[in-house]
């Protein structure tokens, strides 16, 4: 939703040319799904609110809520686009699974505990 390059150089000029290339190669490439997403969560069964829409930021494959303290989003987006996360609000939590693609995403969610609900979600990339 993380190459070690080593070289032996026979001169200072060659060593100076190899080191910057090695540093660039070993830096971790950003996850192609990194950015801001708008997520709509729709309840299909249970007594949960009918729908929510909120922002999610994905950074280095890690998902987090873009807003204030009401919701907590924690999860991961794999390089393949597979999503596995938890959305929580107070003592209620939903387990989320799905997939992101080029600019959109979709999946399902379920809650556990005394207020059992389930539904679907969809997402659009915003930035």
């Amino acid at each position: 939703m993380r190459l070690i390059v080593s070289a032996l150089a026979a001169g200072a000029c060659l060593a100076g040319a190899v080191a910057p290339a090695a540093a660039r190669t070993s830096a971790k490439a950003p996850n192609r799904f990194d950015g801001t997403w708008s997520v709509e969560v729709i309840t299909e069964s249970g007594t949960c609110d009918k729908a929510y829409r909120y922002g999610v930021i994905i950074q280095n494959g890690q998902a987090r809520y873009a807003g204030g303290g009401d919701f907590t989003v924690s999860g991961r987006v794999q390089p393949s686009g597979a999503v596995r996360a938890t959305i929580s609000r107070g003592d209620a939590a939903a387990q989320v699974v799905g997939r992101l693609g080029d600019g959109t995403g979709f999946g399902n969610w379920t809650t556990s505990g005394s207020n059992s609900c389930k539904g679907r979600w969809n997402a659009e990339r915003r930035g």
Side-chain angles (χ1 to χ4, degrees), residues 13-106:
C13 187
L14 181 57
V18 170
R24 281 191 307 272
T25 319
S26 64
K28 183 178 174 189
N31 184 303
R32 73 181 185 127
F33 302 106
D34 284 0
T36 305
W37 293 77
S38 176
V39 179
E40 179 182 36
V41 176
I42 301 160
T43 300
E44 295 179 323
S45 69
T47 58
C48 297
D49 290 343
K50 183 172 175 101
Y52 297 98
R53 180 173 293 276
Y54 52 92
V56 170
I57 296 171
I58 300 172
Q59 187 173 22
N60 295 322
Q62 296 287 349
R64 65 180 167 86
Y65 181 49
D70 287 64
F71 286 95
T72 300
V73 175
S74 61
R76 181 127 191 93
V77 180
Q78 299 297 322
S80 66
V83 173
R84 188 166 296 277
T86 300
I87 301 171
S88 55
R89 183 180 190 187
D91 61 351
Q95 300 305 309
V96 177
V97 295
R99 180 162 303 279
L100 294 181
D102 292 330
T104 62
F106 62 92

